[in-house]
Amino acid sequence: MTTPPRPSPIYDQYAIAEIQRAAATGIYDIRGGGTKRRMPHFDDLIFLGASMSRYPLEGYRERCGTDVVLGARHAKKPITLKIPITIAGMSFGALSGQAKEALGRGATIAGTSTTTGDGGMTEEERGHSQTLVYQYLPSRYGMNPRDLRRCDAIEIVIGQGAKPGGGGMLLGQKITERVAGMRNLPAGIDQRSACRHPDWTGPDDLEIKIEELREITDWQKPIYVKVGASRPYYDVALAVKAGADVVVVDGMQGGTAATQDVFIENVGLPTLAAIRPAVRALQELGMHRKVQLIVSGGIRNGADVAKALALGADAVSIGTAALIALGDNSPALEDEYRKLGTTAGAYDDWHEGRDPAGITTQDPELARRLDPILGGRRIANFLSVLTMEAQAIARACGKSHLHNLEPEDMVSLTMEAAAMTQIPLAGTNWYPGKPGA
Ligand SMILES: Cc1cc2nc3c(=O)[nH]c(=O)nc-3n(C[C@H](O)[C@H](O)[C@H](O)COP(=O)(O)O)c2cc1C
């Protein structure tokens, strides 16, 4: 008898291939997307539903509200969205103009907001987005005061979940004349965005910045502060102290257009672990539900939406799932993915600009493949399904509004999830670290 070949779980095929690739090229691996390894996530929580001790609502007859108001703390014009699911900031440059337009169209049909990104605001998205959040980023690429006044809210980006502490990348092949013009950069040259704002060194400067932005916009627009999940308890508290109307916490599973693989997989805090500390910071400051919390990073379906809200978020934001809804990684493009050395479901070379779906590209021929009107409808359909799924779960838990979902509606499937969320392990009333347990 012979022993079957035994691959190592440590030196698995990916680890071996990466060592070989690194040795052959001498450069680190860059890719798009979020974490690919298994880590604690929303799948590790489930809802209990209702039976005797809880009373469910009737699916097709009893209302389950979905609206959310963002930014009422200080802004004269807070934002009201029909659904608590927004489109996350994704840069023009990373995405084609057609993709930005489709996101705006879809968000508008669904009654929600979309967000600009590194590189500034395009006419396509401003023109087709009823509610547009304008990102104010460390790089300041594409930033101008006129656009600050044309948006509906401002999001100061401190960091992103995929790379807290890291800056962005846009490789030369995607820097066309138009992208370069908007960023005041030469075309065709690799660009690296700053990892921190040029004019501040800490949270006190954030307070000054927020006031400056409020003055420019006559205190009309809500000001969001976006942080990559890292130390959410302290970061959320500091953002609230600095005057934020809304705080966005983007977990480690969050997507990026282009970052080092080693960064994506090894830096940050899983989304699941970031929500409770963020909520606790708001609660301790008496600001929960007054300063809204938006959570992002790995939201794929209505259950994820419902779980984030039950943990205390006011809304969620989606990036990667929106791109997939637009057609990214579609099996219909399998032949083209094969030519790029990958397969549908695994395509992540978004930085290369050769996306056969026409989404993460600046190649005019490829970009033309994406019909923004059809794309907008797909986004609207997807947002509608996410909402209906979350409502189905909320009704089963007896809730007449998605915001009435609460931690008590769920149990944890793993010890890790229980420890991270303080939601008891299924079948027990215990979680690791429970006081007195
Ligand atoms: C293609 C792409 C481009 C992105 N560009 C930006 C950006 O310009 N600014 C930013 O704050 N975040 C950016 N992000 C991160 C998203 O705003 C968001 O935090 C993340 O996608 C949420 O996680 P999800 O992709 O799992 O939904 C980008 C993400 C993707 C996928």
Side-chain angles (χ1 to χ4, degrees):
M1 265 176 55
T2 52
T3 314
R6 186 176 179 187
S8 158
I10 302 298
Y11 293 94
D12 64 14
Q13 55 170 318
Y14 304 109
I16 291 173
E18 175 51 20
I19 293 169
Q20 291 163 342
R21 191 206 59 78
T25 64
I27 53 175
Y28 50 55
D29 186 29
I30 296 175
R31 67 171 176 87
T35 50
K36 292 200 167 184
R37 64 173 159 141
R38 164 85 195 135
M39 58 171 60
H41 197 48
F42 291 114
D43 289 338
D44 301 328
L45 298 176
I46 47 173
F47 286 96
L48 289 170
S51 59
M52 289 275 278
S53 58
R54 295 285 187 280
Y55 196 69
L57 296 187
E58 201 66 68
Y60 291 94
R61 272 174 265 150
E62 289 174 302
R63 231 182 95 73
C64 177
T66 61
D67 58 307
V68 61
V69 178
L70 300 170
R73 182 187 186 194
H74 291 305
K76 284 189 210 159
K77 283 194 185 159
I79 285 175
T80 302
L81 303 178
K82 285 192 190 148
I83 59 170
I85 310 158
T86 67
I87 304 293
M90 291 183 273
S91 64
F92 169 68
L95 300 188
S96 62
Q98 283 86 338
K100 291 299 282 177
E101 178 179 333
L103 293 171
R105 285 178 179 273
T108 301
I109 298 170
T112 189
S113 61
T114 186
T115 313
T116 65
D118 218 1
M121 184 189 290
T122 61
E123 292 311 320
E124 287 97 322
E125 64 186 341
R126 178 59 284 185
H128 293 99
S129 309
Q130 191 177 3
T131 307
L132 182 61
V133 182
Y134 184 47
Q135 285 199 331
Y136 187 85
L137 295 112
S139 71
R140 301 286 196 277
Y141 288 142
M143 208 298 287
N144 70 62
R146 185 169 150 260
D147 289 340
L148 283 172
R149 297 197 184 102
R150 292 203 302 160
C151 69
D152 302 288
I154 298 165
E155 180 168 294
I156 302 177
V157 178
I158 311 287
Q160 247 178 270
K163 47 182 175 188
M169 290 181 181
L170 191 65
L171 301 195
Q173 51 267 49
K174 292 177 84 173
I175 311 219
T176 58
E177 291 294 340
R178 182 178 175 201
V179 174
M182 284 175 66
R183 297 181 187 222
N184 289 329
L185 288 170
I189 306 236
D190 288 356
Q191 168 249 293
R192 277 156 203 270
S193 306
C195 68
R196 53 174 202 250
H197 287 259
D199 51 355
W200 84 63
T201 52
D204 292 343
D205 294 326
L206 175 60
E207 196 169 337
I208 296 167
K209 182 57 67 184
I210 289 180
E211 206 158 311
E212 191 181 301
L213 292 171
R214 287 203 196 280
E215 280 174 14
I216 294 174
T217 55
D218 192 26
W219 289 74
Q220 305 270 324
K221 330 247 174 197
I223 310 255
Y224 303 11
V225 172
K226 174 176 179 177
V227 292
S230 164
R231 295 175 182 82
Y233 175 79
Y234 295 106
D235 289 344
V236 169
L238 287 169
V240 170
K241 182 182 164 288
D245 294 309
V246 175
V247 185
V248 183
V249 175
D250 187 30
M252 184 175 176
Q253 285 94 339
T256 170
T259 299
Q260 298 95 328
D261 176 77
V262 73
F263 207 144
I264 295 173
E265 297 289 1
N266 294 284
V267 184
L269 200 62
T271 309
L272 190 70
I275 307 178
R276 287 313 281 277
V279 172
R280 190 157 44 84
L282 292 169
Q283 286 168 337
E284 287 177 11
L285 292 167
M287 285 293 173
H288 191 216
R289 308 292 185 211
K290 292 183 186 145
V291 168
Q292 285 73 43
L293 174 66
I294 301 180
V295 166
S296 56
I299 304 268
R300 307 151 297 174
N301 53 45
D304 293 347
V305 175
K307 289 169 189 177
L309 298 186
L311 287 168
D314 295 277
V316 300
S317 205
I318 57 167
T320 305
L323 303 188
I324 295 170
L326 277 181
D328 171 70
N329 269 295
S330 164
L333 298 167
E334 182 60 14
D335 287 349
E336 306 213 33
Y337 288 130
R338 286 286 157 104
K339 283 186 215 147
L340 296 173
T342 183
T343 183
Y347 176 62
D348 59 12
D349 285 328
W350 296 345
H351 58 293
E352 288 184 349
R354 296 193 287 161
D355 183 356
I359 299 168
T360 56
T361 183
Q362 295 301 320
D363 178 326
E365 297 240 321
L366 291 174
R368 255 198 300 278
R369 292 182 179 185
L370 181 70
D371 175 349
I373 297 176
L374 202 62
R377 263 188 245 134
R378 293 178 64 88
I379 292 289
N381 281 344
F382 179 56
L383 290 169
S384 165
V385 169
L386 291 184
T387 308
M388 289 191 294
E389 286 178 344
Q391 283 175 301
I393 289 172
R395 284 199 184 95
C397 295
K399 312 293 175 169
S400 59
H401 198 289
L402 291 183
H403 289 141
N404 296 343
L405 285 164
E406 53 194 330
E408 289 67 25
D409 292 321
M410 300 184 288
V411 291
S412 295
L413 290 179
T414 64
M415 297 276 271
E416 287 86 353
M420 289 174 187
T421 62
Q422 293 89 57
I423 290 178
L425 198 59
T428 78
N429 63 1
W430 175 84
Y431 58 83
K434 185 175 178 181

